[in-house]
């Protein structure tokens, strides 16, 4: 609706925010920032939620593709190029192919994200922590994300690493398919992730291989299912308010 | 085998049966008004008592909490003890898990503030501001937030820092048995809550900071109340120094307790007063300023003692620095809007207390109902459907009184968040409990946990 327009309006007064602009931006006044159109995470139909012909608004035929911001090409701007150079160099020194390790680099909203292939995550974290030019000595934990329609990459683990030495922050994103929800643990590198990985396991069912004691942390030990997954219902009961029945939150009309 | 307790608790109607039972040479009975009371002897009781007496080498595991006055809410400490010494300590959490992050995925972006304010319930404004900063980053409107809104956000956060630190000191003191500290702390916190009530209408759970600005401007009389508050706090804050800082008993309980050095903090991700008590002046307000913190003058207090006493001193000094910032906020308040100009994001209603007790401004209702059909539709769509946020993810962090409060939000382009994750400082800092407590005394566990200042609402979310 308004989102695309807004991002478009933003551009003239702050060119550094061009990364915000969606890739279908027609003006093309700025150099193309994206290598690709972005990752399709969902396709939405209709506008008001009903799936069984109940939508009489005429918006029922609407098809909208949801794309996350795609990979960026250099220069990334800010300190991002330096971090990327140092990381690639350090990986090469270890005999790793940066192109195989870093699947994609996304610069969006003034934030740098490295998409890391999951088998290399501990090596990348160790490099980021120990390399003097990088020194991301401090991890803010892991956040799970679930995109059920992104086949083969349904589950994501997102790490934010902060460097107090250089006063920088970057993001690592790792994906795993639903059928094989394994991601290597980084507790050995960042012990703080002990509880964070347990939490992400508890809510998303991502199994962090190598974690010292991967058990549930919030939910009871015998709980079935992983509550933060999109297919897990929120639950709730209808409530009566001023004589009307208000359905449970996950039964209400959803506009997206 | 029946124990004496079992027998005494027998109901009176069982008594005739008991008297009829054959006499046991190891359990002689005598009649009382409660029924027959047996004194159990012989059997293996002697062995049991003897074994218990020399069970030095056996593990004794004590569950402290989840319902215990000195565990800060529903925190369960699992302590393996040897005499008075804690040999191993673990936390059991999750007793206050309310699924806020899941719930957020079923509400509009604006409604999210109503939920996040309830996470760490002692720092509602930090939760709201961190969330709103993240949503604003996703929307790309960070620079459009009016100055007045940012100043008021800073003002509320610093007031909130004082109230949170006061609770930390007050409850920490109470757990030591220093009830005067508690009474002082809650007395002064009350002044802060009075200001919150004046400004937002609520003492807790405000939902006052909204994506794009604030729900409402400051009511009349706020500036006077703030000046009065600053005067009062300048008088009251030295009392904590007088009562505690030089107090030998207080110092004896806190000094060198809950030790965690810089390497430990880095590894365990501890932030806030715990990190600053190691001498590292890391404060996101200085390192990565938000809401215009770079324009305020304040110091980041540190100590190099790595212990609970250092954290106490830091909290007291941070309250003083917060007062300095509040003074600067009051001077900076310029008239102006408190919400972004973009009508696609800003809620149209100016709230006011109506005769029905609800918060809709009658002027606004008259306007949309009587003169502008478009405004009515717009209002309806914005409130029921909400605004859409372009797909992508953002991370924003604020320096809460407890440390780095980070928010990771993911949008799939809809009117509801796809994912909101709070990196709560209490959650991360609580992990360091084991490192602080193992090898110490049980009584020191209480002090160490109090110096972490965990709030279970934030830990469990």
């Amino acid at each position: 609706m308004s989102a695309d327009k807004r991002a478009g309006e933003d551009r003239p007064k702050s060119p550094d925010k061009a990364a915000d602009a969606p890739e279908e931006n027609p003006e093309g006044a700025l150099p193309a920032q994206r290598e690709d159109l972005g990752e399709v995470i969902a396709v939405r139909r209709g506008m008001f939620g009903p799936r069984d012909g109940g939508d009489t608004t005429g918006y029922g035929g609407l098809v909208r593709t949801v794309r996350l911001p795609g990979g960026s090409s250099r220069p990334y701007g800010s300190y991002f190029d330096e971090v990327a150079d140092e990381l690639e160099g350090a990986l090469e020194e270890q005999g790793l192919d940066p192109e195989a390790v870093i699947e994609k680099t996304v610069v969006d909203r003034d934030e740098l994200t490295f998409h890391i292939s999951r088998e290399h995550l501990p090596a990348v974290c160790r490099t980021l922590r120990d390399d003097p030019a990088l020194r991301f000595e401090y991890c803010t934990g892991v956040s799970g994300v679930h995109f059920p329609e992104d086949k083969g990459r349904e589950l994501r683990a997102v790490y934010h690493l902060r460097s107090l030495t250089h006063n920088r922050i970057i993001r690592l994103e790792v994906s795993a398919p639903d059928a094989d929800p394994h991601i290597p643990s980084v507790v050995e590198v960042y012990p703080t992730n002990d509880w964070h990985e347990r939490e992400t396991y508890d809510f998303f069912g991502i199994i962090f291989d190598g974690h010292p004691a991967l058990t549930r942390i919030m939910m009871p030990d015998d709980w079935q299912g992983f509550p933060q997954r999109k297919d897990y219902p929120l639950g709730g009961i209808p409530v009566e308010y001023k004589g009307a029945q208000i359905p449970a939150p996950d039964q209400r009309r959803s506009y997206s | 085998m029946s124990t004496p307790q079992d027998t005494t608790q027998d109901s009176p109607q069982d008594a005739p049966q008991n008297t009829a039972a054959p006499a046991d040479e190891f359990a002689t009975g005598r009649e009382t008004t409660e029924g027959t009371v047996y004194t159990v002897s012989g059997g293996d009781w002697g062995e049991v008592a003897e074994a218990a007496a020399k069970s030095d080498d056996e593990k004794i595991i004590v569950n402290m909490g989840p319902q215990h006055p000195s565990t800060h809410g529903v925190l369960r400490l699992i302590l393996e003890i040897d005499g008075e010494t804690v040999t191993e300590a673990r936390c059991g959490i999750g007793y206050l898990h309310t699924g806020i992050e899941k719930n957020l995925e079923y509400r509009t972006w604006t409604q999210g503030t109503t939920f996040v304010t309830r996470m760490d319930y002692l720092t509602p404004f930090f939760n709201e501001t961190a969330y709103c900063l993240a949503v604003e980053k996703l929307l790309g409107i960070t620079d459009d937030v009016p100055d007045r809104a940012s100043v008021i956000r800073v003002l509320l956060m610093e007031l909130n820092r004082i109230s949170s630190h006061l609770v930390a000191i007050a409850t920490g003191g109470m757990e030591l048995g220093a009830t005067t500290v508690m009474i002082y702390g809650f007395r002064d916190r009350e002044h802060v809550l009075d200001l919150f009530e004046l400004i937002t209408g609520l003492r807790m759970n405000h939902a006052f900071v909204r994506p794009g600005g604030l729900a409402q401007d400051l009511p009349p009389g706020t500036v006077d109340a703030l000046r009065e508050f600053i005067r009062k706090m300048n008088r009251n804050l030295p009392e904590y120094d007088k009562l505690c800082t030089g107090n030998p008993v207080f110092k004896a309980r806190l000094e060198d307790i809950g030790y965690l050095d810089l390497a430990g903090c880095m590894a365990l991700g501890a932030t806030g007063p715990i990190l600053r008590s190691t001498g590292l002046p890391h404060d996101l307000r200085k390192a990565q300023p938000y809401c215009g913190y770079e324009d305020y003058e304040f110091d980041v207090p540190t100590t190099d003692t790595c212990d609970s006493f250092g954290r106490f001193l830091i909290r007291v000094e941070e309250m003083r620095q917060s007062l300095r910032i509040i003074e600067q906020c009051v001077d900076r308040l310029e008239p102006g809007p408190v919400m972004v100009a973009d009508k696609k994001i800003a809620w149209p209603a100016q709230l006011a207390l109506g005769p029905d007790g609800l918060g809709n401004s009658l002027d606004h209702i008259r306007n949309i109902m009587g003169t502008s059909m478009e405004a009515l539709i717009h209002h309806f769509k914005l409130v029921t459907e909400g605004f859409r946020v372009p797909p992508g993810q953002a991370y924003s962090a604020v320096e809460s009184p407890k440390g780095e409060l980070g928010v990771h939000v993911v949008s799939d382009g809809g009117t509801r968040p796809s994912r909101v994750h709070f990196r709560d400082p209490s959650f991360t800092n609580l992990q360091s409990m084991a490192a602080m407590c193992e090898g110490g005394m049980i009584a020191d566990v209480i002090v160490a946990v109090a110096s972490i200042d965990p709030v279970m609402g934030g830990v469990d979310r």
Side-chain angles (χ1 to χ4, degrees):
Chain A
M1 191 182 66
S2 62
D4 298 357
K5 201 175 105 240
R6 198 161 38 244
E9 284 166 0
D10 250 8
R11 217 161 10 77
K13 59 183 166 177
S14 55
D16 56 311
K17 276 207 194 154
D20 292 1
E23 55 290 335
E24 59 268 18
N25 170 27
E27 294 153 53
L30 286 154
Q33 293 264 330
R34 303 280 178 224
E35 291 167 349
D36 51 38
L37 282 172
E39 184 185 352
V40 177
I41 52 157
V43 177
R44 297 275 154 71
R45 285 168 201 285
M47 197 159 180
F48 300 104
R51 299 278 174 276
D52 45 5
D55 190 349
T56 55
T57 57
Y59 286 101
L62 199 68
V63 178
R64 214 158 43 85
T65 309
V66 181
R67 288 173 198 274
L68 290 183
S72 311
S73 45
R74 286 178 189 260
Y76 301 139
S78 188
Y79 54 82
F80 302 156
D81 290 291
E82 200 187 328
V83 171
D85 288 341
E86 293 290 346
L87 178 61
E88 282 169 16
L91 289 174
E92 269 168 11
E93 274 173 32
Q94 296 172 36
L96 293 167
D97 176 16
E99 299 219 339
V101 175
I102 305 170
E103 292 169 345
K104 188 166 63 171
T105 306
V106 179
V107 178
D108 179 48
R109 296 169 168 98
D110 299 331
E111 293 180 342
L112 175 67
T113 311
F114 292 118
H115 290 251
I116 306 289
S117 65
R118 56 178 167 168
E119 63 271 24
H120 295 299
L121 178 69
V124 169
C125 283
R126 193 170 285 280
T127 309
L128 286 170
R129 187 193 66 177
D130 293 344
D131 192 293
L134 296 167
R135 278 266 191 276
F136 288 91
E137 62 273 269
Y138 168 69
C139 179
T140 68
V142 52
S143 162
V145 184
H146 189 209
F147 292 124
E149 293 174 50
D150 191 9
K151 295 297 169 212
R153 294 165 49 81
E154 288 96 342
L155 293 164
R156 311 285 173 87
V158 182
Y159 304 79
H160 293 92
L161 306 181
R162 196 180 275 287
S163 166
L164 302 190
T165 311
H166 302 293
N167 195 18
R168 293 167 175 171
I169 185 163
I170 58 165
R171 178 188 295 130
L172 302 183
E173 191 168 331
V174 184
S175 71
D178 220 348
D180 177 31
H182 289 267
I183 288 174
S185 166
V186 296
V187 172
E188 272 200 4
V189 186
Y190 295 113
T192 178
N193 269 25
D194 183 351
W195 282 17
H196 289 279
E197 286 182 3
R198 281 177 66 191
E199 186 188 344
T200 308
Y201 161 71
D202 195 351
F203 289 147
F204 289 90
I206 298 176
I207 298 166
F208 292 93
D209 296 319
H211 188 283
L214 196 67
T215 51
R216 289 195 181 268
I217 187 166
M218 295 293 179
M219 307 304 286
D221 290 344
D222 54 354
W223 194 264
Q224 298 289 313
F226 301 105
Q228 287 272 13
R229 289 196 181 196
K230 290 289 179 190
D231 49 5
Y232 191 99
L234 176 67
I237 53 165
V239 195
E240 193 180 315
Y241 180 67
K242 294 198 172 181
Q245 286 279 325
I246 314 292
D250 60 346
Q251 302 300 317
R252 289 177 201 162
R253 172 182 286 174
S254 122
Y255 293 89
S256 41
Chain B
M1 176 183 280
S2 76
T3 62
Q5 287 85 358
D6 287 343
T7 326
T8 45
Q9 278 161 10
D10 274 351
S11 50
Q13 58 264 41
D14 289 342
Q17 247 182 328
N18 286 345
T19 45
D24 188 327
E25 59 171 311
F26 293 119
T28 49
R30 71 193 153 83
E31 294 300 319
T32 67
T33 50
E34 304 286 310
T36 314
V37 172
Y38 293 92
T39 306
V40 183
S41 61
D44 51 4
W45 277 111
E47 289 162 42
V48 170
E50 227 170 277
K54 58 176 182 187
S55 68
D56 278 358
D57 53 355
E58 256 186 59
K59 283 185 191 177
I60 295 181
I61 295 179
V62 175
N63 273 297
M64 196 183 270
Q67 301 291 339
H68 189 278
S70 56
T71 56
H72 279 261
V74 280
L75 169 65
R76 175 176 163 219
L77 299 173
I78 307 155
L79 307 174
E80 187 187 311
I81 55 172
D82 179 9
E84 277 285 305
T85 309
V86 178
T87 51
E88 231 177 302
R90 292 290 180 271
C91 284
I93 61 168
Y95 295 93
L96 206 56
H97 176 60
T98 43
I100 290 178
E101 288 176 3
K102 178 85 173 172
N103 263 292
L104 288 170
E105 293 166 17
Y106 292 87
R107 320 285 159 146
T108 66
W109 291 92
T110 303
Q111 283 174 318
T113 53
T114 316
F115 280 84
V116 300
T117 189
R118 285 159 169 80
M119 285 187 166
D120 183 340
Y121 43 81
L122 293 182
T123 61
F125 288 114
F126 292 92
N127 303 343
E128 292 170 23
T129 308
Y131 171 76
C132 291
L133 287 175
V135 177
E136 284 157 10
K137 206 180 213 179
L138 274 181
L139 286 164
I141 56 167
T142 309
D143 298 333
D144 303 337
V145 176
D147 281 347
R148 186 174 170 87
S150 286
V151 173
I152 296 173
R153 283 178 182 184
V154 170
L155 171 76
L156 290 169
M157 280 195 284
E158 293 307 324
L159 283 170
N160 203 168
R161 190 182 310 278
I162 293 178
S163 74
S164 173
H165 279 343
L166 283 171
V167 173
I169 292 171
T171 54
M174 183 188 68
E175 288 159 7
L176 300 177
T179 45
T180 313
V181 185
M182 182 208 47
I183 287 165
Y184 279 14
F186 279 99
R187 173 197 67 189
D188 289 342
R189 175 176 183 255
E190 203 59 28
H191 297 317
V192 182
L193 294 191
D194 286 346
L195 279 174
F196 287 169
E197 192 176 355
L198 173 71
I199 294 170
T200 73
L202 295 163
R203 289 158 53 90
M204 291 174 96
N205 306 336
H206 312 277
F208 188 70
V209 183
R210 303 280 174 89
L214 303 170
Q216 188 68 291
D217 203 351
L218 295 177
T222 310
V223 172
D224 293 338
L226 282 168
R227 290 198 196 281
E228 170 67 16
F229 170 78
I230 294 167
R231 203 178 53 74
K232 240 184 293 187
M233 285 306 285
N234 277 329
R235 197 182 59 224
N236 288 355
L237 274 185
E239 289 184 359
Y240 295 91
D241 276 332
K242 276 186 207 155
L243 184 63
C244 302
T245 306
N247 185 326
V249 180
F250 194 79
K251 279 174 88 169
R253 286 299 307 275
L254 265 67
E255 271 180 336
D256 298 330
I257 302 302
Y259 186 91
L260 191 69
D261 62 8
L262 182 58
C265 283
M266 282 289 111
L268 293 169
T271 43
I274 303 177
L275 180 59
R276 288 191 285 272
S277 73
T278 67
L280 185 75
H282 174 68
D283 189 321
L284 288 173
R285 292 177 291 174
K286 292 277 190 199
Q288 309 252 318
Y290 48 91
C291 291
Y293 264 113
E294 61 271 26
D295 302 330
Y296 295 88
E297 269 179 43
F298 63 99
D299 300 326
V300 180
T302 58
T303 62
D304 54 3
T305 54
C306 308
D307 65 355
S308 301
F309 191 63
R311 289 165 210 148
F312 163 78
L313 293 179
I314 286 172
R315 291 203 171 95
V316 173
E317 183 55 33
E318 280 189 3
M319 289 198 284
R320 249 179 242 126
Q321 298 299 329
S322 290
L323 267 189
R324 270 179 77 187
I325 300 176
I326 293 167
E327 277 180 57
Q328 294 170 51
C329 287
V330 173
D331 296 336
R332 258 160 207 271
L333 278 175
E334 302 277 348
V338 293
M339 197 62 170
V340 287
D342 190 343
K343 294 289 181 200
K344 291 285 179 192
I345 294 169
W347 275 32
Q350 284 303 304
L351 302 176
L353 189 63
D356 57 354
L358 299 176
N360 288 319
S361 155
L362 285 178
D363 283 341
H364 178 69
I365 291 174
R366 203 170 294 124
N367 178 33
I368 61 175
M369 298 297 280
T371 63
S372 170
M373 190 62 188
E374 285 298 319
L376 177 65
I377 296 170
H378 196 76
H379 185 157
F380 179 77
K381 290 291 280 179
L382 203 50
V383 172
T384 57
E385 177 177 343
F387 50 80
R388 281 169 198 276
V389 172
Q393 55 184 331
Y395 179 83
S396 77
V398 301
E399 184 73 28
S400 108
K402 289 149 181 107
E404 173 170 350
L405 174 67
V407 186
H408 176 228
V409 291
V410 182
S411 172
D412 59 3
T415 59
R416 298 164 165 193
S418 172
R419 164 76 166 143
V420 181
H421 175 67
F422 268 63
R423 183 256 185 220
D424 195 275
S426 296
F427 178 80
T428 316
N429 292 351
L430 195 54
Q431 283 189 96
S432 60
M433 189 278 297
M436 288 182 187
C437 297
E438 284 180 5
M441 312 291 269
I442 294 182
D444 295 340
V445 172
I446 307 298
V447 176
V449 171
S451 79
I452 296 172
D453 186 26
V455 171
M456 299 317 285
V459 175
D460 293 342
R461 284 154 288 142

